[in-house]
Structure formats: C-alpha cells, structure tokens
Amino acid sequence: MKQYISIDVGGTNIRIGLLAADHQRCQLEKVLSFPLIPDFNQAKKVIAEKIKTLSAEVSIEGVSLALPGPVTSEMLLAAGNLQSWEKRPIRSELEALLSLPVALVHDGSASALGEAFYGGGQELDTFIYFTWGTGFGGAQLVKSPSISLTYLEPAHQIKEWQGKECTCGQRGCFEAYMGGWALNEKYDLAQIADTHSIWEDVTQITAQMLINTLMFYPTEHFIFGGGLIAKRWFLLPKIRQVVQDNLTYCPVPTFSQAKLGEYSALYGGVALFEQPIVLP
C-alpha cells in the first residue's frame, strides 16, 4: 500500500496523519495533534518536523493540506484567524521544504471526500457534509457523472443584519451565534450539560441555517462531523425535527454522523491522490 501524509488545519488544532491506501482501501496508521499556530513561518517548520517523525523509514507519495477557508491550488485566500497564512504560495513553500508533491483543499471538501470514498457516503450519489467544531463549514459532493465538489460556508449567511461580529469580518453570521468559538465566548462548553437551555437556542438557529442552505443546495442527505457535534450527537434529531416542522419547499434530508469521525478530512486528503478528482 502507498503511504501518504494528510494535514487538517482546524480552528483550534492542527492534526497530521500517516495513512496507507491502495485505491479502494485506506487506513490511518498514526496521527499527531498540536495547537493551531497562527504564524505560517513557524507552523511550516513544526509541520515539517512532525512529518519527519511520522514518516521515519517510510516512503511518502504525497502530502495534502486541508485548510479552513477558500483555496486555490496554490494558496489559502481567506481565513479569519490565519491571516499570516493568507495569499502566500503555501503549496510551493511546502513542496520546497518537504521535497514532496503537496495538494491544498478546503477542509469541508476534504471531509466530504473522505466520507464519500472511505466512510458513510460510499453508497450515496450525492450529499452535503457539514463540519461543526470551532466553526461551521462544509461541502456538497456529487459523484455522477464525475466527482464534483462545491465548498460551502453556510454559517456565514447573515442571520441578523449588523448583528454580532463574526471572525470572518462580517456581522450577524449564523456562526457568530452557534459556532464553537461563539458559544465558548458565553459558556464553558465543557461544563455545559446536555439538558442546558442553550441547546434549544442552538437547535433553532442551526435548523434555520440548514433550511436556508437547502434553498440553494437541495439534497437528500446530510452528514455531520466535527468536534462540537461529535460530543453532542443528541442535537441532530432535535435539529432535524425543527427542519421537518418548518420546511415545505423540498424533502427533509437524512441526518447522519460521519463514519470516520474527526478523521474524515485526513482520509479525504488521501483521496486527492488515489481517486480521479478534479478540484474546482
């Protein structure tokens, strides 16, 4: 089996995995995680050190980098908390540093690819993957006639005009009311019980955002992953019920958990090299 390195840059941590794959199969061999480093010059040095640790005596075919914002093949265009990473030739810099081919991808797209080829989306022709952790993002994936991906930032739709300031620079985004970072500003989520009234508000806000999203991207299936929802799966049936009670324009999608859990994006990074995918 070929060996790959996948890097997932989240809102709080950076996760680096060593994975083995042979087109149809993929398995996670090792993984390291460390706090997010806002300065890219420092981050790339640490990333190189961690890759060296993970891949000792292993021949690596390629490296993928999943980033929390819109990307081109060369750079990250925008990310509220990673301004040092923005609009610089990340791919070229890492390729020069690592002497390996590097592929950049939006983090929601990476997770969607992971679930599509190796997780809970293998039997689905199309679905939307949502990652709900420090922030909230996602991607729509369609398999036929060829793989197509549309990265989504549904939580940066405007909920309240001139409302609460969001990390993206806008005001009133949904994420400013239900993203992990926003909730932690008001509460210590680690100490909040599942029965706390905050979750009723989060349920209503998230359902509204999902209904809005369906107006532009109708689908029959939602897959959810990410650190916040992984600890609070009880929210999904509650949110789906609110969607069902209020949605009349199209059928209510299925709601399911990401089969690959917090590692969906790492698996998706391998798919970039192993599967016939052309990124937008």
Side-chain angles (χ1 to χ4, degrees), residues 8 46 59 77 151 161 165-166 177 182 186 200-201 243-244 276 279:
D8 180 16
V46 175
S59 178
L77 296 177
Y151 82 84
W161 190 246
E165 186 175 3
C166 184
Y177 300 88
K186 294 183 65 176
E200 293 305 316
D201 293 337
V243 171
Q244 181 173 309
L279 292 177

Side-chain angles (χ1 to χ4, degrees), residues 24-270:
Q24 296 299 327
R25 296 178 299 157
C26 184
Q27 60 190 43
L28 181 62
E29 304 281 352
K30 301 176 186 176
V31 65
L32 296 174
S33 182
F34 54 95
L36 180 67
I37 302 173
D39 180 75
F40 180 70
N41 289 326
Q42 180 185 356
K44 69 179 182 180
K45 293 177 183 178
V46 175
I47 287 170
E49 292 170 0
K50 299 295 185 183
I51 290 176
K52 185 176 180 180
T53 299
L54 280 175
S55 61
E57 301 180 2
V58 174
S59 178
I60 301 299
E61 300 290 330
V63 177
S64 65
L65 183 64
L67 294 164
V71 300
T72 68
S73 61
E74 181 65 29
M75 66 183 64
L76 172 66
L77 296 177
N81 61 337
L82 292 175
Q83 293 183 9
S84 172
W85 295 54
E86 293 179 3
K87 297 182 178 64
R88 61 184 298 167
I90 290 176
R91 181 185 64 82
S92 295
E93 289 188 42
L94 286 178
E95 286 189 338
L97 181 63
L98 303 172
S99 298
L100 289 167
V102 174
L104 306 188
V105 63
H106 175 260
D107 57 355
S109 297
S111 295
L113 288 170
E115 290 296 321
F117 288 104
Y118 309 116
Q122 292 181 78
E123 304 302 319
L124 303 178
D125 291 330
T126 181
F127 61 88
I128 293 178
Y129 177 92
F130 295 113
T131 179
W132 190 358
T134 303
F136 189 103
Q140 182 184 52
L141 187 142
V142 179
K143 292 182 180 177
S144 180
S146 60
I147 298 296
S148 68
L149 274 167
T150 303
Y151 82 84
L152 306 178
E153 294 291 352
H156 294 295
Q157 300 175 76
I158 301 300
K159 174 186 182 294
E160 182 180 340
W161 190 246
Q162 297 302 313
K164 183 179 177 183
E165 186 175 3
C166 184
T167 56
C168 73
Q170 298 183 148
R171 302 193 71 92
C173 293
F174 278 92
E175 187 173 294
Y177 300 88
M178 45 67 68
W181 66 267
L183 296 175
N184 267 316
E185 282 188 352
K186 294 183 65 176
Y187 307 92
D188 179 359
L189 289 183
Q191 305 301 320
I192 297 297
D194 292 353
T195 54
H196 195 284
S197 61
I198 180 182
W199 301 120
E200 293 305 316
D201 293 337
V202 169
T203 293
Q204 297 292 325
I205 293 168
T206 306
Q208 180 186 350
M209 176 188 61
L210 295 177
I211 290 173
N212 289 355
T213 301
L214 283 166
M215 297 303 101
F216 295 94
Y217 301 98
T219 185
E220 295 181 357
H221 305 285
F222 285 160
I223 298 177
F224 290 82
L228 188 150
I229 195 63
K231 296 184 177 75
R232 298 172 180 87
W233 291 121
F234 72 91
L235 288 172
L236 287 189
K238 291 177 174 289
I239 294 169
R240 189 180 188 279
Q241 186 61 56
V242 176
V243 171
Q244 181 173 309
D245 290 345
N246 292 276
L247 179 66
T248 59
Y249 183 80
C250 59
V252 179
T254 63
F255 281 50
S256 62
Q257 304 173 18
K259 185 176 180 180
L260 300 174
E262 60 186 337
Y263 301 127
S264 298
L266 297 183
Y267 281 84
V270 172

